[in-house]
Amino acid sequence: MRKLQQILLPWLLISVFLIILFQLYQGQNEEYTDQREDVGAATELHPTVEEKKNKLIEQAVTKDIHVVITDDVRSFERQEELYQQGRATDGEIVTYAQGGESYHNYGLAIDYALENKNGELIWDIHYDGNNNNQSDWFEVANIAKNLGFEWGGDWEGFKDYPHLQITFGLSIEQLQRGIRPKPAQE
Ligand SMILES: [Zn+2]
């Protein structure tokens, strides 16, 4: 009988230990509701952002404005390169976000520019190609905001005029921890 106890006791302790571990693991999963296995950069735009991007382009055309999407998903490496621009490398500062700190890294942001009738890219935010006495750039920003985008031109401090993002209420810190919006959210 004593021998049996000696065998069973360690197994009992191991079982209890495993149950506690399992419960801790479950608890963590509840917190990270939509955690993906890959907590790194996205490789494509979130489906909702993709859909709204296309609507933006379509709705701008009805106002005789040609929108060009100049950037969408970015790898952490590409973000880091951009961050170094105007700091370690030549050029103007274009971002304050390092690798992993931009909504572009999670497929939740796009950048736009305009194209004129000759197919040339326009970065002038005062350009009025459709001659309605309104800046085309701001007209596009308004369409985007009506579609649910947040516009970088509205930011306090550093204004990122080409930038549009949909955050789904998630902070960069949450995204870095692996929390993601539901894929089919609408
Ligand atoms: Zn941007």
Side-chain angles (χ1 to χ4, degrees), residues 74 104 110-111 160 163:
R74 260 179 226 153
H104 284 287
I110 56 175
D111 292 334
D160 193 351
H163 184 90

Side-chain angles (χ1 to χ4, degrees), residues 71-72 74 102 104 109-112 155 160 162-165:
D71 211 352
D72 46 30
R74 260 179 226 153
S102 166
H104 284 287
I110 56 175
D111 292 334
Y112 72 93
W155 291 346
D160 193 351
H163 184 90
L164 297 168
Q165 65 185 30

Side-chain angles (χ1 to χ4, degrees), residues 90-159:
D90 288 346
E92 280 179 49
I93 285 179
V94 289
T95 183
Y96 284 83
Q98 291 184 257
E101 294 176 354
S102 166
Y103 285 98
H104 284 287
N105 299 145
Y106 305 97
L108 303 178
I110 56 175
D111 292 334
Y112 72 93
L114 307 172
E115 196 178 83
N116 68 15
K117 300 242 173 345
N118 301 323
E120 293 156 337
L121 268 190
I122 305 288
W123 295 97
D124 176 6
I125 63 169
H126 304 297
Y127 175 76
D128 180 21
N130 59 2
N131 292 307
N132 64 351
N133 291 316
Q134 292 175 57
S135 132
D136 292 8
W137 201 285
F138 283 73
E139 283 186 79
V140 173
N142 281 327
I143 298 169
K145 286 194 266 184
N146 283 331
L147 287 168
F149 282 102
E150 193 182 308
W151 180 43
D154 285 330
W155 291 346
E156 304 278 329
F158 177 70
K159 294 196 184 296

Side-chain angles (χ1 to χ4, degrees), residues 28 51 88 145 179:
Q28 205 175 38
E51 185 197 316
K145 286 194 266 184
I179 301 173

